[in-house]
Amino acid sequence: MIYISIPVHSEARTIGILLWKIRKVMREFGRDYEIVVLDDASTDDTAEVLKRYERTLPLRVLRSEVRIGYAAALERLLRDAVERSSYPKRDVVVTLQGDFTENPDDLVPLVKAIEGGADLVAGTLDTNDTILPTPLRVSRWLAPFVLGRAFRKAPVSDPLSGLRAYRLVVLKKAFREGPGEQALLVSRGWGANLEILSRAAPHARRIEECPYRIRLNNRERESRFQAKGALKELISLRRTRWVEAVHGEGT
């Protein structure tokens, strides 16, 4: 089973298109799958859109009545996949955004890499032919300097990307070593991708990467990404103990 996990907040204009595109991709791919969306206290028509698609797709919707943020939504989705999986050594969870900036076609090579023996596959943003929004471009440029050795010694070249595939047994082990039912991630935003990588990587026998490009022409709203807040979060992460736990040294 492939669990396609998507945290969303007020994405009524894109989530339906994204779900239908995933359906098309997965029908051609020919694998069993379930889409799991966490509606993080949306204030637009996201809930109504999701309700319509629940009748026609293998879709399950989780909801939070209060805004919990990207990191908490991501962790809840990953924990949900671990809890529901009957075959964690075989089953896969893929994470992506709900604003349709990531192409569902890119799910296929991630899953194929898992089927080929990888335990964790990280999407690597190809920026050669893409002009990124200024906040994202600046943050990505500064991140290696902010994180220092924690960035350079990461097991993938783009440790901040949220497009990933995990063999569920890897996450099961990571959660087992965490603080029980309490939140595993301390970040609230972008840094969560780095955190979950640091927790999962030690349990992965093989890690691979797959390039992808974001779809800026399809963005239906202004990006909520804030460079200042993201960089402050990374500075905070650099000072926490996970760096030593994963990389075996301080910063």
Side-chain angles (χ1 to χ4, degrees):
M1 175 67 73
I2 300 167
Y3 298 92
I4 302 172
S5 299
I6 311 170
V8 302
H9 172 71
S10 298
E11 303 288 5
R13 288 183 291 181
T14 58
I15 188 61
I17 301 170
L18 175 63
L19 293 175
W20 207 250
K21 175 65 173 178
I22 291 172
R23 178 179 182 267
K24 179 177 182 297
V25 169
M26 295 306 295
R27 176 180 287 179
E28 294 174 357
F29 192 30
R31 305 292 194 277
D32 292 332
Y33 74 101
E34 179 182 52
I35 305 169
V36 188
V37 175
L38 191 146
D39 182 3
D40 186 13
S42 293
T43 56
D44 64 357
D45 295 330
T46 295
E48 288 73 18
V49 174
L50 291 172
K51 193 171 296 184
R52 293 199 299 268
Y53 281 92
E54 279 183 289
R55 296 191 290 265
T56 56
L57 296 178
L59 169 66
R60 190 161 49 86
V61 179
L62 310 178
R63 290 187 173 87
S64 176
E65 298 302 320
V66 296
R67 185 79 187 276
I68 60 176
Y70 173 75
L74 176 66
E75 180 170 343
R76 183 174 168 187
L77 284 164
L78 296 178
R79 286 185 181 274
D80 177 81
V82 168
E83 291 169 2
R84 290 180 63 85
S85 173
S86 300
Y87 304 98
K89 292 184 178 179
R90 185 185 67 190
D91 293 345
V92 182
V93 61
V94 179
T95 59
L96 73 161
Q97 300 179 75
D99 61 0
F100 206 19
T101 54
E102 295 162 346
N103 193 333
D105 287 329
D106 292 324
L107 302 179
V108 174
L110 267 67
V111 174
K112 283 186 174 180
I114 295 285
E115 293 176 343
D119 291 322
L120 192 163
V121 186
T124 302
L125 182 59
D126 181 359
T127 59
N128 290 334
D129 298 322
T130 303
I131 300 176
L132 299 177
T134 299
L136 183 58
R137 185 174 69 253
V138 171
S139 298
R140 282 185 167 272
W141 181 73
L142 289 175
F145 301 99
V146 171
L147 290 166
R149 281 178 289 183
F151 190 99
R152 294 192 298 273
K153 291 184 176 293
V156 296
S157 58
D158 189 0
L160 298 170
S161 170
L163 181 64
R164 302 236 181 98
Y166 305 86
R167 193 181 301 275
L168 278 168
V169 69
V170 169
L171 293 175
K172 185 174 184 178
K173 291 176 181 178
F175 288 133
R176 186 184 299 153
E177 289 190 354
E181 296 182 358
Q182 298 179 15
L184 182 68
L185 306 180
V186 300
S187 305
R188 288 189 57 82
W190 197 35
N193 297 322
L194 185 58
E195 268 197 279
I196 195 64
L197 175 67
S198 75
R199 298 288 188 175
H203 304 289
R205 293 170 298 176
R206 194 167 111 203
I207 298 174
E208 295 186 8
E209 300 184 46
C210 287
Y212 74 99
R213 295 181 182 177
I214 58 176
R215 299 159 52 95
L216 295 177
N217 291 337
N218 295 278
R219 185 180 290 278
E220 294 286 340
R221 58 163 173 78
E222 291 297 318
S223 174
R224 301 186 184 115
F225 184 86
Q226 296 182 344
K228 185 177 179 180
L231 291 171
K232 288 175 70 174
E233 187 171 85
L234 296 185
I235 292 171
S236 177
L237 280 178
R238 176 174 175 168
R239 295 170 180 162
T240 60
R241 62 184 180 179
W242 71 264
V243 173
E244 293 184 13
V246 174
H247 304 302
E249 56 183 281
T251 57

